Every structure is written in structure tokens, then in C-alpha cells.
Amino acid sequence: MEQQPRTPQNGGEHPAANSYGTDDPSDQTRIEGARTAASAERRRNRAELERLVELGLSPDAAETVIEYERAHADQRATRAAPDQRVGQELLPYQAPRIYVSDLAAAEAGRLHGRWIDAAAPLPEIQEEIVALLAASPVPNADRFVIDDHRGFLGYEPNEHTPIAIIAKIANNIEQFGAAYAAFLSVIDTNDLDLLDRFSDLYIGSFATREEWARSVGRDLGWQEQLDRVVDPLLRPHLTIDYRAFGESHHEGWDVVEGSDGKIHVFMR
């Protein structure tokens, strides 16, 4: 996803432009191929960067190691890879964040990017992106790409997701947790107004669908209604199948299983 950062000077987006810099189809094909290869290389380098950081290196030191090893591949010593699953389990909870790469540097074969706190105020995120591009090893870098993300609890920003939407979603996930991430699956996440309606539409979170169904029954007084309309001789033998109600779909509610294993319920 190529994006233009908002600059402190005018706060506006750069106008759309031909990102290839040429109208020649053969040149565009060659450039697109180079971009695809650069994207794959960024992903490999980023995985190695995270591995080295988990082993205790600073990000700058890790990047130096990666560049050295890439330049001296024939001299690279064989290293045993750590158990990634164990490493991930030991990592503490991390707030929503995005990995922003300098696209011009990537196309030049250079690794230049950083993790950014996605729940920070939007101007701060934009300032970090501007600073990233200002420190680019490639002159006049003005394009960036969102390569990766962490901590969004099941929500998947795509290559077209604007920074403003990512920031709002990340901030709400920090505030409301997995219930908000579940909410995102039932709304249009491109609608900034809908993103702020969580509190209006959220009914509650439950361990199971049956537990939710029983809460509906209590709120609507189903047992009391049966007491009023059913013959007293029959009433002790009449029960409500809450499990069946909870497993079926009904107009008026969106029932979503969240990344935390709970059932999150919203009004439609």
C-alpha cells in the first residue's frame, strides 16, 4: 500500500501520480517486478530483524547484522534458529502497531523501516512517518508502505486502509479490547462514524451463546410470560431451549466469536 504522509507544512495529501515515473509498459513491468521482489526481501529481512531483536540486539544493531550478512552471504556462519513459538509465548502483550517501510529505500535494495504505535494520536503517527522518510538512505524519499501489523486482535488492516482509520481502530482496540475487534467484523470499517458507535451498539460479552440467550430471556421476561399464559399443570414440564436459540441467527443481533474465545453481541 503506497501512501503519502501528511506533512507538517500543509497537512494535506499529495496528489495522485504515476508512481512508475514512466509511461513505457515494458519499463513499468520491470519496475513492478522489482517492487515485488523488494517486498519479498523486506518481509524476509523484517522476520530476521524481529528474530535478532528477540535475542537481545537493538534494532540498529540487528539491521547492521542483516546488512553485513547480506553482503557476505558466502561467509555466513550456520546458526541454529530459536523456537519461534516459545519466543512468541514469552513476549509480553503489545499494543496495536504497524510496520512502516520506506518504499524508495526498499526498491533500492535497502532495509529502512520502523514499528510505530498505531494507537498514538494521528499527528504523531504522521510525524513518525515523515521522520522515517527524512532519514531515508535514498534521496528525496516520499513514499511508504504498511508492511505488517501486530496487536489488532484479529482485525486485518489491508493495503488500502488509510492511516487515519488504522489509528482510530487501534485506539479503540486499546480501550475496548477483543470486543471492539469483533465489532469491526460486522460494520463497514471505512466509515469513520461507524467506528465510533461501538458503545451504542454493544450489548455484552458472554462465555457461550447459551449464556447470551439466557440473558435475553431474563431481559425480556420469557419465564414470566410462560407463567402467565401456560396452564399451571403443564408449566413445570415446559422449558425454553436456550441453547437452540443461542445457536440460531435472529434479526436484531450480530453474534460474533472474538479472538478471546468469548461471544460478543451487537445490535444491528
Side-chain angles (χ1 to χ4, degrees), residues 150-164:
R150 295 284 188 275
F152 282 85
L153 302 181
Y155 170 68
E156 297 284 342
N158 62 50
E159 60 181 4
H160 303 297
T161 307
I163 291 294

Side-chain angles (χ1 to χ4, degrees), residues 15-256:
N18 179 350
S19 64
Y20 294 107
T22 175
D23 293 325
D24 188 297
S26 61
D27 286 342
Q28 291 183 2
T29 299
R30 177 180 55 78
I31 293 171
E32 187 61 31
R35 288 179 176 176
T36 300
S39 177
E41 180 70 11
R42 286 198 307 274
R43 292 182 184 279
R44 289 193 296 270
N45 287 340
R46 186 171 61 256
E48 178 66 2
L49 176 69
E50 291 184 353
R51 188 185 74 82
L52 292 172
V53 170
E54 288 177 14
L55 290 174
L57 274 67
S58 69
D60 288 342
E63 287 192 9
T64 299
V65 170
I66 291 171
E67 291 185 4
Y68 177 86
E69 291 185 341
R70 184 171 54 191
H72 301 80
D74 57 331
Q75 301 176 12
R76 185 178 305 164
T78 302
R79 295 190 305 267
D83 188 331
Q84 294 297 323
R85 292 172 299 174
V86 173
Q88 291 172 1
E89 289 171 359
L90 294 177
L91 287 176
Y93 167 77
Q94 299 199 2
R97 55 193 181 126
I98 52 176
Y99 189 85
V100 180
S101 289
D102 173 358
L103 188 55
E107 290 174 351
R110 302 291 301 276
L111 177 66
H112 184 62
R114 68 175 63 170
W115 284 102
I116 295 177
D117 177 6
L122 180 59
E124 291 184 14
I125 297 175
Q126 293 168 337
E127 287 174 7
E128 285 218 46
I129 294 174
V130 170
L132 169 71
L133 297 178
S136 173
V138 176
N140 303 316
D142 62 357
R143 294 171 297 143
F144 67 92
V145 61
I146 308 301
D147 264 342
D148 205 350
H149 60 274
R150 295 284 188 275
F152 282 85
L153 302 181
Y155 170 68
E156 297 284 342
N158 62 50
E159 60 181 4
H160 303 297
T161 307
I163 291 294
I165 293 217
I166 289 177
K168 183 177 285 289
I169 286 174
N171 189 271
N172 284 329
I173 285 177
E174 280 249 289
Q175 183 176 358
F176 300 112
Y180 188 85
F183 173 64
L184 297 174
S185 69
V186 298
I187 66 168
D188 177 3
T189 55
N190 292 313
D191 188 327
L192 284 169
D193 292 332
L194 276 178
L195 292 177
D196 287 330
R197 294 204 60 203
F198 172 81
S199 297
D200 298 330
L201 301 177
Y202 177 59
I203 292 175
S205 299
F206 307 87
T208 64
R209 290 175 180 267
E210 182 177 350
E211 180 182 301
W212 162 65
R214 289 185 180 278
S215 76
V216 173
R218 287 192 298 270
D219 292 342
L220 298 180
W222 288 348
Q223 297 291 347
E224 291 78 8
Q225 292 179 49
L226 289 176
D227 290 341
R228 288 195 300 270
V229 301
V230 176
D231 187 303
L233 292 176
L234 178 61
R235 181 67 185 90
H237 307 286
L238 190 64
T239 60
I240 298 173
D241 191 343
Y242 288 106
R243 176 174 296 182
F245 179 90
E247 293 298 331
S248 61
H249 297 284
H250 297 270
E251 293 184 2
W253 297 282
D254 283 308
V255 184
V256 183

